[in-house]
Short mmCIF file of all heavy atoms in Angstrom, two decimals:
data_model
loop_
_atom_site.label_atom_id
_atom_site.label_comp_id
_atom_site.label_asym_id
_atom_site.label_seq_id
_atom_site.Cartn_x
_atom_site.Cartn_y
_atom_site.Cartn_z
N THR A 18 7.73 -6.43 -3.31
CA THR A 18 6.95 -7.50 -2.53
C THR A 18 6.12 -6.72 -1.48
O THR A 18 4.94 -6.97 -1.22
CB THR A 18 7.79 -8.35 -1.94
OG1 THR A 18 8.61 -9.18 -2.91
CG2 THR A 18 7.07 -9.47 -1.16
N GLY A 19 6.76 -5.72 -0.88
CA GLY A 19 6.03 -5.09 0.27
C GLY A 19 4.82 -4.27 -0.27
O GLY A 19 3.70 -4.32 0.20
N PHE A 21 3.26 -4.69 -3.20
CA PHE A 21 2.24 -5.52 -3.81
C PHE A 21 1.38 -6.11 -2.79
O PHE A 21 0.16 -6.16 -2.92
CB PHE A 21 2.98 -6.56 -4.58
CG PHE A 21 1.87 -7.47 -5.37
CD1 PHE A 21 1.41 -7.11 -6.61
CD2 PHE A 21 1.35 -8.60 -4.84
CE1 PHE A 21 0.62 -7.77 -7.34
CE2 PHE A 21 0.42 -9.36 -5.51
CZ PHE A 21 0.08 -8.90 -6.89
N ALA A 22 2.04 -6.51 -1.60
CA ALA A 22 1.21 -7.10 -0.54
C ALA A 22 0.27 -6.19 0.18
O ALA A 22 -0.96 -6.47 0.46
CB ALA A 22 2.14 -7.72 0.58
N ILE A 23 0.76 -4.93 0.37
CA ILE A 23 -0.02 -3.95 1.15
C ILE A 23 -1.04 -3.27 0.29
O ILE A 23 -2.21 -3.01 0.71
CB ILE A 23 0.94 -2.88 1.79
CG1 ILE A 23 0.19 -2.28 2.99
CG2 ILE A 23 1.40 -1.88 0.72
CD1 ILE A 23 0.06 -3.06 4.17
N THR A 24 -0.87 -3.09 -1.06
CA THR A 24 -1.80 -2.43 -1.94
C THR A 24 -2.77 -3.49 -2.48
O THR A 24 -3.91 -3.18 -2.87
CB THR A 24 -1.10 -1.67 -3.10
OG1 THR A 24 -0.30 -2.56 -3.81
CG2 THR A 24 -0.30 -0.43 -2.47
N ASN A 25 -2.12 -4.67 -2.78
CA ASN A 25 -2.96 -5.87 -3.10
C ASN A 25 -3.91 -5.58 -4.27
O ASN A 25 -5.16 -5.61 -4.01
CB ASN A 25 -3.73 -6.39 -2.01
CG ASN A 25 -4.15 -7.80 -2.23
OD1 ASN A 25 -4.03 -8.48 -3.30
ND2 ASN A 25 -4.84 -8.34 -1.19
N ILE A 27 -5.32 -7.17 -6.72
CA ILE A 27 -6.28 -8.17 -6.96
C ILE A 27 -7.37 -7.99 -5.95
O ILE A 27 -8.63 -8.02 -6.28
CB ILE A 27 -5.68 -9.53 -6.88
CG1 ILE A 27 -4.59 -9.68 -8.00
CG2 ILE A 27 -6.71 -10.59 -7.18
CD1 ILE A 27 -5.06 -9.53 -9.34
N SER A 28 -7.06 -7.85 -4.68
CA SER A 28 -8.06 -7.85 -3.61
C SER A 28 -8.83 -6.53 -3.78
O SER A 28 -10.16 -6.50 -3.66
CB SER A 28 -7.41 -8.03 -2.22
OG SER A 28 -8.41 -7.87 -1.20
N ILE A 89 1.08 -2.55 10.51
CA ILE A 89 1.07 -3.43 9.28
C ILE A 89 0.75 -4.83 9.79
O ILE A 89 -0.10 -5.54 9.09
CB ILE A 89 2.47 -3.43 8.53
CG1 ILE A 89 2.54 -1.96 7.90
CG2 ILE A 89 2.46 -4.41 7.60
CD1 ILE A 89 3.84 -1.71 7.33
N PHE A 90 1.17 -5.24 10.83
CA PHE A 90 0.94 -6.65 11.33
C PHE A 90 -0.53 -6.83 11.55
O PHE A 90 -1.23 -7.77 11.30
CB PHE A 90 1.69 -6.96 12.55
CG PHE A 90 1.35 -8.32 13.16
CD1 PHE A 90 2.00 -9.44 12.70
CD2 PHE A 90 0.30 -8.53 14.05
CE1 PHE A 90 1.60 -10.76 13.20
CE2 PHE A 90 0.04 -9.72 14.69
CZ PHE A 90 0.70 -10.83 14.25
N ILE A 92 -3.13 -5.12 10.19
CA ILE A 92 -3.76 -5.10 8.92
C ILE A 92 -3.61 -6.53 8.26
O ILE A 92 -4.66 -7.13 7.94
CB ILE A 92 -3.17 -4.10 7.95
CG1 ILE A 92 -3.49 -2.65 8.54
CG2 ILE A 92 -3.82 -4.29 6.53
CD1 ILE A 92 -2.76 -1.61 7.58
N GLY A 93 -2.53 -7.19 8.24
CA GLY A 93 -2.21 -8.45 7.79
C GLY A 93 -2.96 -9.56 8.50
O GLY A 93 -3.53 -10.44 7.95
N PHE A 94 -3.05 -9.36 9.93
CA PHE A 94 -3.75 -10.33 10.77
C PHE A 94 -5.25 -10.35 10.44
O PHE A 94 -5.81 -11.41 10.39
CB PHE A 94 -3.58 -10.01 12.20
CG PHE A 94 -4.22 -10.93 13.24
CD1 PHE A 94 -3.83 -12.24 13.34
CD2 PHE A 94 -5.36 -10.51 13.81
CE1 PHE A 94 -4.41 -13.05 14.26
CE2 PHE A 94 -6.04 -11.38 14.77
CZ PHE A 94 -5.58 -12.63 14.89
N GLU A 95 -5.85 -9.09 10.22
CA GLU A 95 -7.24 -8.96 9.94
C GLU A 95 -7.48 -9.63 8.57
O GLU A 95 -8.61 -10.31 8.33
CB GLU A 95 -7.64 -7.64 9.89
CG GLU A 95 -7.85 -6.85 11.34
CD GLU A 95 -8.76 -5.73 11.22
OE1 GLU A 95 -8.59 -4.81 10.37
OE2 GLU A 95 -9.53 -5.60 12.16
N MET A 96 -6.60 -9.57 7.52
CA MET A 96 -6.82 -10.11 6.30
C MET A 96 -6.76 -11.66 6.37
O MET A 96 -7.64 -12.35 5.75
CB MET A 96 -5.67 -9.60 5.31
CG MET A 96 -5.82 -8.23 4.84
SD MET A 96 -4.46 -7.60 3.86
CE MET A 96 -4.61 -8.63 2.41
N LEU A 97 -5.93 -12.09 7.27
CA LEU A 97 -5.84 -13.65 7.52
C LEU A 97 -7.13 -14.20 8.18
O LEU A 97 -7.45 -15.33 7.98
CB LEU A 97 -4.54 -13.93 8.37
CG LEU A 97 -3.29 -14.05 7.71
CD1 LEU A 97 -2.08 -14.12 8.80
CD2 LEU A 97 -3.21 -15.18 6.62
N GLN A 98 -7.71 -13.32 8.96
CA GLN A 98 -8.95 -13.69 9.53
C GLN A 98 -10.25 -13.46 8.63
O GLN A 98 -11.46 -13.54 9.11
CB GLN A 98 -9.16 -12.83 10.90
CG GLN A 98 -8.05 -13.16 12.04
CD GLN A 98 -8.03 -14.62 12.44
OE1 GLN A 98 -9.04 -15.04 12.76
NE2 GLN A 98 -6.96 -15.06 12.43
N SER A 99 -9.98 -13.23 7.41
CA SER A 99 -11.02 -12.95 6.54
C SER A 99 -11.91 -11.71 6.79
O SER A 99 -13.13 -11.67 6.54
CB SER A 99 -11.99 -14.15 6.30
OG SER A 99 -11.20 -15.25 5.84
N ASN A 178 -13.44 -16.88 -5.12
CA ASN A 178 -12.77 -17.71 -4.30
C ASN A 178 -11.25 -17.66 -4.38
O ASN A 178 -10.55 -17.65 -3.39
CB ASN A 178 -13.25 -19.17 -4.57
CG ASN A 178 -14.62 -19.45 -4.06
OD1 ASN A 178 -15.16 -18.74 -3.23
ND2 ASN A 178 -15.40 -20.34 -4.68
N VAL A 179 -10.86 -17.58 -5.66
CA VAL A 179 -9.34 -17.57 -5.81
C VAL A 179 -8.84 -16.22 -5.32
O VAL A 179 -7.72 -16.10 -4.69
CB VAL A 179 -9.01 -17.80 -7.37
CG1 VAL A 179 -7.61 -17.47 -7.61
CG2 VAL A 179 -9.39 -19.13 -7.88
N ILE A 180 -9.72 -15.15 -5.60
CA ILE A 180 -9.21 -13.78 -5.20
C ILE A 180 -9.19 -13.84 -3.65
O ILE A 180 -8.31 -13.20 -3.12
CB ILE A 180 -10.26 -12.81 -5.60
CG1 ILE A 180 -10.07 -12.49 -7.12
CG2 ILE A 180 -9.96 -11.38 -5.02
CD1 ILE A 180 -11.16 -11.75 -7.79
N SER A 181 -10.07 -14.50 -2.95
CA SER A 181 -10.15 -14.48 -1.50
C SER A 181 -8.81 -15.31 -0.91
O SER A 181 -8.16 -14.78 0.04
CB SER A 181 -11.32 -15.28 -1.02
OG SER A 181 -11.35 -15.36 0.37
N VAL A 182 -8.41 -16.31 -1.62
CA VAL A 182 -7.27 -16.99 -1.25
C VAL A 182 -5.97 -16.04 -1.41
O VAL A 182 -5.12 -15.99 -0.60
CB VAL A 182 -7.02 -18.34 -2.08
CG1 VAL A 182 -5.57 -18.94 -1.90
CG2 VAL A 182 -8.10 -19.26 -1.72
N ILE A 183 -5.90 -15.34 -2.51
CA ILE A 183 -4.85 -14.41 -2.77
C ILE A 183 -4.76 -13.42 -1.70
O ILE A 183 -3.69 -12.94 -1.29
CB ILE A 183 -4.95 -13.83 -4.11
CG1 ILE A 183 -4.76 -14.84 -5.22
CG2 ILE A 183 -3.92 -12.58 -4.32
CD1 ILE A 183 -5.06 -14.26 -6.65
N GLY A 184 -5.91 -12.97 -1.27
CA GLY A 184 -5.97 -11.99 -0.19
C GLY A 184 -5.42 -12.47 1.07
O GLY A 184 -4.73 -11.89 1.79
N LYS A 185 -5.61 -13.84 1.47
CA LYS A 185 -5.15 -14.45 2.64
C LYS A 185 -3.57 -14.61 2.63
O LYS A 185 -2.89 -14.25 3.58
CB LYS A 185 -5.75 -15.79 2.89
CG LYS A 185 -7.10 -15.73 3.51
CD LYS A 185 -7.76 -17.16 3.77
CE LYS A 185 -9.07 -17.11 4.26
NZ LYS A 185 -9.11 -16.48 5.63
N ILE A 186 -3.06 -14.92 1.38
CA ILE A 186 -1.61 -15.05 1.11
C ILE A 186 -0.98 -13.54 1.44
O ILE A 186 0.07 -13.56 2.00
CB ILE A 186 -1.39 -15.49 -0.25
CG1 ILE A 186 -1.91 -17.01 -0.33
CG2 ILE A 186 0.21 -15.52 -0.51
CD1 ILE A 186 -1.65 -17.65 -1.73
N MET A 187 -1.67 -12.60 0.81
CA MET A 187 -1.09 -11.28 0.89
C MET A 187 -1.09 -10.85 2.52
O MET A 187 -0.18 -10.14 2.99
CB MET A 187 -1.90 -10.29 0.05
CG MET A 187 -1.70 -10.42 -1.33
SD MET A 187 -0.14 -10.28 -1.98
CE MET A 187 0.40 -11.97 -2.30
N GLY A 188 -2.18 -11.22 3.06
CA GLY A 188 -2.30 -10.84 4.63
C GLY A 188 -1.13 -11.45 5.38
O GLY A 188 -0.50 -10.92 6.21
N LEU A 189 -0.77 -12.77 4.99
CA LEU A 189 0.37 -13.39 5.65
C LEU A 189 1.61 -12.74 5.45
O LEU A 189 2.45 -12.43 6.28
CB LEU A 189 0.49 -14.97 5.21
CG LEU A 189 1.62 -15.62 5.73
CD1 LEU A 189 1.68 -15.79 7.26
CD2 LEU A 189 1.74 -17.05 5.16
N ILE A 190 1.76 -12.22 4.13
CA ILE A 190 3.07 -11.57 3.84
C ILE A 190 3.14 -10.18 4.50
O ILE A 190 4.23 -9.78 5.01
CB ILE A 190 3.18 -11.30 2.26
CG1 ILE A 190 3.32 -12.63 1.54
CG2 ILE A 190 4.29 -10.41 1.94
CD1 ILE A 190 3.23 -12.56 0.13
N ILE A 191 2.09 -9.51 4.63
CA ILE A 191 1.96 -8.28 5.28
C ILE A 191 2.27 -8.41 6.66
O ILE A 191 3.02 -7.61 7.39
CB ILE A 191 0.51 -7.56 5.11
CG1 ILE A 191 0.29 -7.14 3.65
CG2 ILE A 191 0.29 -6.39 6.23
CD1 ILE A 191 -1.10 -6.76 3.39
N ALA A 192 1.69 -9.42 7.44
CA ALA A 192 2.03 -9.66 8.88
C ALA A 192 3.52 -10.03 8.98
O ALA A 192 4.18 -9.52 9.95
CB ALA A 192 1.22 -10.89 9.31
N ILE A 193 4.11 -10.77 8.02
CA ILE A 193 5.62 -10.98 8.19
C ILE A 193 6.30 -9.71 8.09
O ILE A 193 7.34 -9.54 8.84
CB ILE A 193 6.02 -12.11 7.15
CG1 ILE A 193 5.31 -13.38 7.46
CG2 ILE A 193 7.49 -12.14 7.13
CD1 ILE A 193 5.47 -14.48 6.41
N ILE A 194 5.93 -8.89 7.13
CA ILE A 194 6.66 -7.72 6.91
C ILE A 194 6.53 -6.71 8.22
O ILE A 194 7.57 -6.08 8.72
CB ILE A 194 6.18 -6.89 5.82
CG1 ILE A 194 6.48 -7.55 4.34
CG2 ILE A 194 6.61 -5.35 5.76
CD1 ILE A 194 5.75 -6.97 3.16
#
Side-chain angles (χ1 to χ4, degrees):
T18 303
F21 188 86
I23 201 72
T24 59
N25 197 356
I27 301 297
S28 178
I89 292 177
F90 178 86
I92 293 172
F94 179 76
E95 283 200 318
M96 291 173 66
L97 282 169
Q98 298 298 311
S99 299
N178 288 335
V179 175
I180 292 173
S181 177
V182 172
I183 293 173
K185 286 182 175 292
I186 294 173
M187 293 300 103
L189 176 62
I190 294 174
I191 290 171
I193 292 171
I194 291 173

